[in-house]
Amino acid sequence: EGYHVSLVNSNPATIMTDPGFADRTYIEPLRSASVLAVLERERPDALLPTLGGQTGLNVAVALAESGDLDRLGIRLIGAGIEAIHRAEDRSSFKRTMIEAGLDVPQADIAHTVDEAVALGDRIGYPVIVRPSFTLGGGGSGFAGSSVELADLARRSLEVSPVHEILVEESIAGWKEFELEVMRDGHDNAVIVCSIENVDPMGVHTGDSVTVAPIQTLTDVEYQQMRDAALRCIRAIGVETGGSNVQFAVNPRDGRMVLIEMNPRV
């Protein structure tokens, strides 16, 4: 197609560093300074962050907000800065999902320990605490009382780079599912893969055994989940490439809630 691809990858053991994947490969740390040095040397037209996991997104956001991408005339493709913020910022994500008509766990945002405790008292214990803009569930946890919540909120606020946490109703014990979704610039969207966690909500996804495809949903439930995942990726605005959309289903009454979506692979 005539594209010249430069790849930054901190892990030489991965298949992505195979010479067939890129014209130039930089084995460098995935940090803003080292990626910026590559951008200034290569002067690409576009930066594709969505194959770099959470770290790739965080670096792309930092380079966009520092003005370096504009200074170098580099366009963010795949997921633009607005789409990344809509997906990664907990309050923005919740608002976007509700506007799209999707059910999410009862939750609200806190920026201080006192705000978090007040939310826990209102929602009812146990609650889950999730920091915004963090990798792999770092700083997340369960709190069964206001004392536990105060301690957890203090640690989570320190972990979040924007000093913001989400306090939400506990859905521990619910079934957990994930759909891998792809969408293009012409709004064609497809479910690539469906995944069911053998372990219930409450075991972090990274520690959970998963099976593909989904095993225990009826076809009607799966189609509802599929429709919700497509509404989600369109509402977030990921233009190209893959995203994972995660759901929880209450085994008692079948209530389905959207937990989160990651605009990357």
Side-chain angles (χ1 to χ4, degrees), residues 74-143:
I74 299 171
R75 204 176 127 218
L76 263 187
I77 59 172
I81 192 74
E82 296 84 6
I84 294 171
H85 276 301
R86 272 193 295 272
E88 297 291 324
D89 181 278
R90 297 287 180 182
S91 54
S92 177
F93 177 74
K94 183 185 177 203
R95 185 170 59 251
T96 303
M97 292 304 97
I98 291 171
E99 289 170 357
L102 297 168
D103 193 9
V104 293
Q106 185 184 349
D108 218 328
I109 292 296
H111 295 93
T112 67
V113 172
D114 289 343
E115 284 179 15
V117 171
L119 285 175
D121 292 342
R122 193 184 84 213
I123 293 170
Y125 296 96
V127 294
I128 305 170
V129 174
R130 304 173 187 269
S132 290
F133 286 96
T134 55
L135 171 66
S140 301
F142 289 88

Side-chain angles (χ1 to χ4, degrees), residues 2-257:
Y3 287 95
H4 184 281
V5 177
S6 298
L7 170 73
V8 186
N9 188 329
S10 59
N11 182 4
T14 54
I15 186 118
M16 285 76 76
T17 55
D18 185 283
F21 277 84
D23 299 285
R24 284 195 179 152
T25 298
Y26 291 84
I27 311 289
E28 296 287 345
L30 285 179
R31 298 198 185 101
S32 300
S34 50
V35 173
L36 179 58
V38 173
L39 295 176
E40 291 189 322
R41 176 175 173 169
E42 293 290 338
R43 296 297 174 111
D45 298 301
L47 173 64
L48 177 66
T50 53
L51 297 180
Q54 187 67 52
T55 309
L57 288 187
N58 290 350
V59 168
V61 167
L63 292 173
E65 293 184 340
S66 68
D68 286 307
L69 296 187
D70 285 340
R71 175 175 63 83
L72 296 170
I74 299 171
R75 204 176 127 218
L76 263 187
I77 59 172
I81 192 74
E82 296 84 6
I84 294 171
H85 276 301
R86 272 193 295 272
E88 297 291 324
D89 181 278
R90 297 287 180 182
S91 54
S92 177
F93 177 74
K94 183 185 177 203
R95 185 170 59 251
T96 303
M97 292 304 97
I98 291 171
E99 289 170 357
L102 297 168
D103 193 9
V104 293
Q106 185 184 349
D108 218 328
I109 292 296
H111 295 93
T112 67
V113 172
D114 289 343
E115 284 179 15
V117 171
L119 285 175
D121 292 342
R122 193 184 84 213
I123 293 170
Y125 296 96
V127 294
I128 305 170
V129 174
R130 304 173 187 269
S132 290
F133 286 96
T134 55
L135 171 66
S140 301
F142 289 88
S145 66
S146 57
V147 175
E148 288 180 11
L149 178 55
D151 183 50
L152 177 59
R154 192 173 296 109
R155 286 185 278 119
S156 295
L157 285 165
E158 288 172 4
V159 167
S160 171
V162 293
H163 211 67
E164 174 186 283
I165 58 174
L166 183 76
V167 180
E168 68 182 4
E169 68 173 301
S170 172
I171 48 178
W174 292 27
K175 301 198 301 186
E176 184 174 2
F177 302 93
E178 182 175 323
L179 296 181
E180 302 294 333
V181 192
M182 287 187 75
R183 178 174 178 258
D184 70 11
H186 296 289
D187 199 30
N188 300 301
V190 63
I191 307 299
V192 178
C193 178
S194 70
I195 302 169
E196 177 164 355
N197 287 47
V198 174
D199 298 294
M201 290 296 300
V203 176
H204 187 264
T205 312
D207 298 321
S208 177
V209 173
T210 59
V211 290
I214 284 170
Q215 301 291 304
T216 66
L217 290 181
T218 66
D219 184 58
V220 170
E221 289 173 314
Y222 171 74
Q223 297 301 335
Q224 289 171 341
M225 189 174 286
R226 173 188 177 277
D227 291 346
L230 296 179
R231 282 216 306 276
C232 172
I233 195 172
R234 285 170 171 143
I236 294 296
V238 175
E239 293 170 332
T240 53
S243 299
N244 63 357
V245 185
Q246 290 169 251
F247 296 89
V249 174
N250 190 333
R252 293 182 190 85
D253 58 15
R255 179 187 169 204
M256 181 181 76
V257 296

